[in-house]
């Protein structure tokens, strides 16, 4: 069966287009991963989650997807920080690579195939040698290599910059540089005294950041592949340079489709340490926020629109996730009459279709979420009126679970994840652990069986009219972060 068509904005064509894979039904995609010199912040995860939603939706739509992400474990900051701390590059980056993997799992980011820059240094040197041979790169006296942008007339086609007035031979050798800098950029940098370097056939030194992604993506996916993703800040120079290097060497189109997530703001401003509005994922969990609320918030605004992160928004996200989980709980734990009700069956089908249609339209997450909340409201009304039958409950659940295969917030596993971050924070001696986190992470102390036992004891005490005991048991549960609710369908509990 052919996979479903998906429309996406392509930065290269500046249009919304059908994603049209090179091989039918197969998508080869690459996302620029983290530079592992610090813990990931929520801006990073805004982009990684946007790509995660795309990946999950492609899979759900019937594509066979090969999704590769790199770990940038060589760059200017990493090498100088490692030298400053007197450790090897490997020692310096291992901690942050591990943290990135843990944080991705905390946010239910489906794992891509990961590749590390340090495992591909020799291939980078070969790639550069190939560019020199074709006249696209040159060596300077100190042993560095630069890309000659004057040789690549398409330079600027992704970022839509006009570099007509550029000076041939002007060079820039830092990984990140100004947005209007039309200069020959470094492919390879001669060793800096005191910093790590690698011995290769083109001489000793280290790769520039841009060459890393060209080499790893082409190694893993071939010279031409379907989609390349990252945050919008990477359009220039990083992705423009990747195109120049790759197309110069291969003579073929590099990535056909370019997917860029808009930059996240925090409380209306660019996130920065100096403004005090800079948050890693872990900072937010330490304040007592659940990973599922954070994930939901980061998906609420479609990836090309500006998401403004606020704490009010985060609290609202928590309550949305709560509503969805309660709805699912109601569907799985209530008794329904046999049979089906055509109106509800239709509601389930139409809602699932609306979700799919929204996501196929340039990944319109807001609209998809709106559709599922419409379904929730109408279903709750029908549930209150006793109009939902056994088969309808299953259809509604199927629609909900299909939605959650993309959004991934329904599984009630915040507590163990928060506990892991609490333990990490204690080991690190962090001073900013909130009482909320202690409380939410602490509910692990009671296993499911123990909770059920206490509930049974509570019920028995109530029947025996021993209200003092039943109140004590309820208080024990509440103190352990367990919410007990009396509903029409009986007593039920969940973790806060
Ligand atoms: P880095 O670790 O800095 O190389 O960034 C990893 C990814 O996060 C890249 O795709 C960046 O474009 C993206 N990114 C960084 N800051 C933000 C932000 N504030 N909003 C959205 N994406 C971001
Ligand atoms: Zn990259």
């Amino acid at each position: 069966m052919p996979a479903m068509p998906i429309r996406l904005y392509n930065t290269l064509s500046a249009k919304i287009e059908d994603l049209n894979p090179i091989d039918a039904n197969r998508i080869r995609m690459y996302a620029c991963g983290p530079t592992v010199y610090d813990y990931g912040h929520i801006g990073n995860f805004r982009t990684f989650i946007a790509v995660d939603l795309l990946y999950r939706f492609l899979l759900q739509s019937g594509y066979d997807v090969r999704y590769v992400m790199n770990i940038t474990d060589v760059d200017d900051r990493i090498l100088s920080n490692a030298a400053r701390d007197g450790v090897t590059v490997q020692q310096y980056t291992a901690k942050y690579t591990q943290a990135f993997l843990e944080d991705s799992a905390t946010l239910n980011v489906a794992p891509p195939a990961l590749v590390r820059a340090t495992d591909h240094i020799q291939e980078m040197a070969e790639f550069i040698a190939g560019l020199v041979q074709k006249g696209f790169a040159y060596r300077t006296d100190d042993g560095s290599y630069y890309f000659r942008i004057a040789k690549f007339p398409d330079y600027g086609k992704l970022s839509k910059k006009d570099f007509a007035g550029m000076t041939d031979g002007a060079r820039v050798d830092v990984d990140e540089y100004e947005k209007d800098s039309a200069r020959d950029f470094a492919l390879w940098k001669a060793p800096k005294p005191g910093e790590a370097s690698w011995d290769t056939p083109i001489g000793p030194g280290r790769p520039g950041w841009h060459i890393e992604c060209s080499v790893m993506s082409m190694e893993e996916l071939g010279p031409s592949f379907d989609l390349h993703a990252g945050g919008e800040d990477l359009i220039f120079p990083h992705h423009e340079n990747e195109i120049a290097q790759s197309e110069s060497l291969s003579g073929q189109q590099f990535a056909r489709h370019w997917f860029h997530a808009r930059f996240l703001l925090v409380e209306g401003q660019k996130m920065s340490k100096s403004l005090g509005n800079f948050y890693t994922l872990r900072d937010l969990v330490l304040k007592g926020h659940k990973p599922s609320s954070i994930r939901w918030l980061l998906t609420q605004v479609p990836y090309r629109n500006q998401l403004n992160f606020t704490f009010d928004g985060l609290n609202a996200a928590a309550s949305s996730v709560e509503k969805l989980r309660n709805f699912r709980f109601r569907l799985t734990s209530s008794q329904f009459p046999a049979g089906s009700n055509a109106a509800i069956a239709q509601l389930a089908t139409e809602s699932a279709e609306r979700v799919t249609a929204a996501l196929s339209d340039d990944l319109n997450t807001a609209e998809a979420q709106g559709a599922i909340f419409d379904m929730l409201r109408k279903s709750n009304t029908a549930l209150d009126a006793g109009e939902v039958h056994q088969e309808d409950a299953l259809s509604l659940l199927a629609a909900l679970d299909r939605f959650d295969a993309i959004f991934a917030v329904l599984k009630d596993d915040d507590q163990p994840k928060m506990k892991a971050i609490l333990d990490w924070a204690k080991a690190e001696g962090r001073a900013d652990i909130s009482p909320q986190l202690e409380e939410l992470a602490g509910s692990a102390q009671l296993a499911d069986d123990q909770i059920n036992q206490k509930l049974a004891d509570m019920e028995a005490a109530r029947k025996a009219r021993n209200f003092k005991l039943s109140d004590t048991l309820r208080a024990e549960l509440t103190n352990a972060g367990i919410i007990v609710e009396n509903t029409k369908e009986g007593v039920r509990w969940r973790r806060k």
Side-chain angles (χ1 to χ4, degrees):
M1 206 176 68
M4 226 189 45
I6 292 176
R7 293 177 64 72
L8 275 183
Y9 183 80
N10 182 354
T11 310
L12 185 60
S13 65
K15 284 200 296 260
I16 294 184
E17 307 176 334
D18 281 345
L19 181 60
N20 183 14
I22 298 169
D23 306 329
N25 288 6
R26 186 153 173 257
I27 302 268
R28 282 171 287 153
M29 63 186 258
Y30 181 91
C32 291
T35 308
V36 282
Y37 72 102
D38 205 344
Y39 292 100
H41 58 65
I42 52 174
N44 299 140
F45 285 106
R46 160 67 166 161
T47 293
F48 296 141
I49 288 177
V51 186
D52 181 52
L53 295 181
L54 173 65
Y55 174 49
R56 287 166 174 269
F57 185 56
L58 289 169
L59 291 175
Q60 187 175 75
S61 305
Y63 291 94
D64 168 13
V65 189
R66 172 139 174 80
Y67 171 25
V68 176
M69 180 186 274
N70 72 297
I71 303 273
T72 300
D73 58 357
V74 182
D75 98 325
D76 292 345
R77 285 164 300 192
I78 290 174
L79 296 196
S80 83
N81 289 0
R84 176 199 65 199
D85 296 354
V87 295
T88 63
V89 169
Q90 160 66 21
Q91 284 163 338
Y92 183 76
T93 57
K95 168 174 160 185
Y96 298 114
T97 304
Q98 181 60 25
F100 167 71
L101 298 177
E102 289 169 8
D103 290 352
S104 298
T106 300
L107 288 171
N108 289 349
V109 174
L114 291 172
V115 287
R116 285 181 172 74
T118 46
D119 292 334
H120 293 82
I121 306 280
Q122 295 304 323
E123 290 96 321
M124 293 172 199
E126 274 167 40
F127 195 108
I128 295 166
L131 286 173
V132 172
Q133 209 185 9
K134 292 194 159 189
F136 287 101
Y138 58 92
R139 185 175 187 277
T140 50
D141 290 344
D142 69 342
S144 299
Y145 289 80
Y146 290 83
F147 185 88
R148 178 176 281 129
I149 60 173
K151 272 277 283 183
F152 188 71
D154 278 351
Y155 196 71
K157 70 177 171 182
L158 181 72
S159 53
K160 319 289 176 238
K161 287 176 184 287
D162 179 6
F163 292 116
M166 68 195 172
T167 343
D168 190 15
R171 293 193 291 271
V172 52
D173 64 0
V174 286
D175 282 339
E176 288 182 279
Y177 50 88
E178 283 155 28
K179 298 290 170 199
D180 57 355
S181 193
R183 308 248 171 106
D184 291 357
F185 57 88
L187 297 163
W188 185 260
K189 304 173 194 187
K192 258 199 201 162
E195 291 188 6
S197 68
W198 284 261
D199 282 321
T200 71
I202 61 167
R206 67 213 226 195
W209 171 37
H210 316 302
I211 197 75
E212 297 179 11
C213 282
S214 279
V215 170
M216 288 186 277
S217 59
M218 286 165 74
E219 286 262 323
E220 296 293 326
L221 302 173
S224 237
F225 56 92
D226 300 301
L227 187 138
H228 195 313
E232 64 173 344
D233 60 318
L234 300 188
I235 297 173
F236 187 86
H238 186 53
H239 290 162
E240 195 72 64
N241 291 355
E242 281 189 48
I243 293 175
Q245 298 159 156
S246 301
E247 297 191 353
S248 298
L249 188 74
S250 74
Q252 300 178 39
Q253 181 170 24
F254 179 49
R256 304 202 337 169
H257 200 105
W258 289 84
F259 175 98
H260 291 107
R262 185 100 185 255
F263 242 44
L264 165 133
L265 297 182
V266 174
E267 307 278 359
Q269 285 179 299
K270 195 166 175 214
M271 186 164 63
S272 88
K273 285 190 176 150
S274 58
L275 287 175
N277 66 353
F278 181 96
Y279 299 110
T280 65
L281 166 68
R282 294 172 189 224
D283 293 336
L284 295 182
V285 173
L286 291 192
K287 288 180 183 294
H289 297 286
K290 294 180 184 179
S292 58
S293 323
I294 301 167
R295 181 171 168 104
W296 182 262
L297 179 63
L298 294 179
T299 64
Q300 274 184 299
V301 174
Y303 75 99
R304 281 204 299 132
N305 296 355
Q306 192 135 53
L307 171 67
N308 182 23
F309 174 94
T310 64
F311 284 96
D312 285 347
L314 189 53
N315 293 331
S319 102
S320 297
V321 172
E322 201 61 45
K323 282 186 192 137
L324 287 170
R325 288 183 181 175
N326 281 339
F327 177 51
R328 191 171 197 290
F329 187 77
R330 196 169 180 190
L331 290 173
T332 51
S333 65
S334 310
Q335 299 292 323
F336 301 106
S340 83
N341 170 345
I344 306 293
Q346 196 185 347
L347 173 66
T349 317
E350 277 175 9
S351 305
E353 282 169 5
R354 274 180 67 196
V355 170
T356 303
L359 295 175
S360 310
D361 178 16
D362 200 21
L363 226 52
N364 192 337
T365 47
E367 185 127 355
Q369 294 175 348
I372 237 40
F373 269 94
D374 276 351
M375 180 179 97
L376 178 148
R377 273 186 294 273
K378 289 178 186 155
S379 306
N380 273 333
T381 310
L383 282 161
D384 292 343
E387 287 166 1
V388 175
H389 292 242
Q390 273 168 23
E391 286 171 34
D392 311 325
L394 293 178
S395 311
L396 291 170
L397 265 179
L400 193 59
D401 289 345
R402 190 177 158 80
F403 170 85
D404 199 55
I406 312 296
F407 288 92
V409 293
L410 283 180
K411 191 166 169 214
D412 187 5
D413 60 358
D414 291 298
Q415 183 279 323
K417 290 170 170 175
M418 295 176 90
K419 174 81 167 62
I421 292 179
L422 176 63
D423 291 344
W424 162 83
K426 286 184 174 161
E428 293 271 309
R430 291 274 297 236
D432 56 343
I433 302 173
S434 68
Q436 289 93 308
L437 175 63
E438 297 269 14
E439 190 194 336
L440 292 175
S443 55
Q445 289 151 6
L446 289 182
D448 289 9
D449 287 353
Q450 292 170 299
I451 298 169
N452 288 327
Q453 185 58 51
K454 274 198 201 299
L455 279 177
D457 293 348
M458 232 171 83
E459 186 61 12
R462 212 176 50 81
K463 284 209 173 114
R465 306 190 66 75
N466 184 348
F467 298 115
K468 191 154 179 264
L469 177 60
S470 90
D471 284 351
T472 309
L473 289 166
R474 182 182 280 264
E476 278 176 25
L477 287 167
T478 310
N479 291 339
I482 309 297
I483 299 169
V484 180
E485 290 169 338
N486 296 313
T487 70
K488 224 170 64 182
E489 292 96 20
V491 180
R492 64 188 194 195
W493 65 268
R494 63 201 160 79
R495 294 194 160 87
K496 243 196 226 172

